[in-house]
Amino acid sequence: MGISTNVSATVGMVCEAFLYGVYCMLFIISVVIFIKRYRVSNRVIWVANCLLFTTSTAHFALVFNNFYIALEHAPFSELANETPKLMGANLLSSVADFIGDTLLLYRCWLVWGKRFYVIVLPLLTALGGFGCILPIPSLVLSINPTSPVPPTEIVPLTVAGYVLPLCTNVLVTGLIAGRIWYISRSVTIDEHGKPVISKIAAGGRPMMLIIESGALYLVTQLIFVVLVAIQNNAESVLSLAGTQIYGIASTLIVIQVWLGISSEQTMPVMTTHIEFWSQSQGTTGVRSVGTLNP
């Protein structure tokens, strides 16, 4: 027996509430770090970070309001039925997805030395996916206004609206992870003219790749696209919780950048570098070579 839409919506609501709490803490941490390490070059990331948090907060507020109304003023069996507020929440989820994609694209652009041609294709797929999502609310209203899942007639358009951003994430994740791997193995010259190998602790390299490349973001989208394609009611869980995961993944990247432990600190084009290594006792140390100028 498959999971019902109401159970799926309830589980999704609980998961989103928990993840929103986690997201709030991470956002506060990012604000504190930004204030202490303010740089003009961080403005773009700061604006995107604030927009993403605002969008995710509005999404949670609409979903919570719908949950409250379903409990107080309507039969609980109608919880998953589509309403104008839920349509707005779904649209905000896509907006959060697009902002997260934009932040990843900006990150990729920086990691690749501000080469615009590298991000042209993933940028087009991101715009295409967002364009497919925009007409869906009006189509749902005209076909079946209370349908808890996308009507069969618009499933292909819905899938396309999520597959294209998934393609964006696959491309950007691969580009960022590949670039970080290359940078972490490169030999650079310090301010004294000596070669320095940019090494990362054995446990740090996989974690840096996962966080900076947005792999968490990618896995979430992949599972969600599969559930939408097979029209499984469990897609409601990721539809709700996924919005907060987008924010969490993006904020982890922001925090890592502002703490100065991102891949830019090991890029050969920088005038100074940081080297990470494992000590004999198994702990991880950090040695600065010169002054950090991101």
Side-chain angles (χ1 to χ4, degrees):
M1 179 178 177
I3 183 173
S4 70
T5 55
N6 292 307
V7 171
S8 179
T10 303
V11 173
M13 169 64 203
V14 173
C15 291
E16 181 172 16
F18 172 76
L19 291 172
Y20 180 68
V22 174
Y23 186 19
C24 285
M25 289 189 291
L26 288 175
F27 180 75
I28 292 172
I29 292 172
S30 71
V31 171
V32 173
I33 295 173
F34 176 77
I35 294 174
K36 290 185 177 181
R37 304 193 179 198
Y38 174 78
R39 294 185 181 91
V40 175
S41 59
N42 286 337
R43 284 181 179 174
V44 174
I45 296 179
W46 169 247
V47 171
N49 192 38
C50 289
L51 284 175
L52 187 55
F53 181 75
T54 301
T55 303
S56 298
T57 299
H59 180 274
F60 177 68
L62 289 174
V63 172
F64 183 81
N65 178 260
N66 179 74
F67 184 77
Y68 170 78
I69 292 175
L71 290 178
E72 293 289 332
H73 306 293
F76 190 73
S77 60
E78 298 179 5
L79 172 64
N81 288 357
E82 196 67 81
T83 65
K85 289 183 180 180
L86 282 184
M87 288 183 186
N90 292 336
L91 186 58
L92 285 174
S93 180
S94 296
V95 171
D97 184 13
F98 181 72
I99 295 174
D101 284 344
T102 303
L103 187 58
L104 276 178
L105 286 166
Y106 181 72
R107 191 86 186 90
C108 183
W109 178 68
L110 290 178
V111 170
W112 277 86
K114 299 183 179 181
R115 298 181 178 93
F116 181 74
Y117 66 85
V118 173
I119 65 169
V120 170
L121 182 57
L123 176 60
L124 291 176
T125 54
L127 291 172
F130 190 60
C132 289
I133 291 295
L134 287 178
I136 288 180
S138 61
L139 291 174
V140 171
L141 287 173
S142 62
I143 297 172
N144 188 354
T146 61
S147 176
V149 295
T152 305
E153 294 87 343
I154 63 171
V155 166
L157 182 62
T158 305
V159 172
Y162 294 121
V163 167
L164 288 173
L166 176 62
C167 292
T168 297
N169 276 275
V170 170
L171 292 170
V172 174
T173 298
L175 287 169
I176 294 177
R179 185 65 173 171
I180 294 172
W181 179 84
Y182 173 77
I183 291 171
S184 69
R185 297 174 61 86
S186 63
V187 178
T188 60
I189 305 299
D190 65 13
E191 60 183 7
H192 304 295
K194 297 180 180 180
V196 176
I197 299 177
S198 303
K199 295 183 293 183
I200 302 173
R205 179 174 296 165
M207 185 58 65
M208 177 180 281
L209 286 172
I210 290 172
I211 295 176
E212 284 205 69
S213 65
L216 176 63
Y217 197 175
L218 172 60
V219 171
T220 301
Q221 277 203 325
L222 177 60
I223 297 174
F224 182 60
V225 167
V226 172
L227 293 175
V228 171
I230 64 177
Q231 295 184 276
N232 190 301
N233 289 334
E235 62 94 7
S236 296
V237 176
L238 279 184
S239 177
L240 300 177
T243 304
Q244 306 307 323
I245 294 177
Y246 299 154
I248 289 172
S250 299
T251 305
L252 285 173
I253 295 174
V254 169
I255 290 174
Q256 187 177 38
V257 172
W258 288 346
L259 283 176
I261 57 175
S262 64
S263 59
E264 280 93 342
Q265 275 66 61
T266 58
M267 289 183 69
V269 296
M270 307 299 288
T271 57
T272 55
H273 313 280
I274 286 180
E275 180 178 355
F276 299 81
W277 77 97
S278 296
Q279 297 176 346
S280 58
Q281 291 84 359
T283 58
T284 301
V286 180
R287 181 180 67 191
S288 296
V289 185
T291 304
L292 186 62
N293 295 307

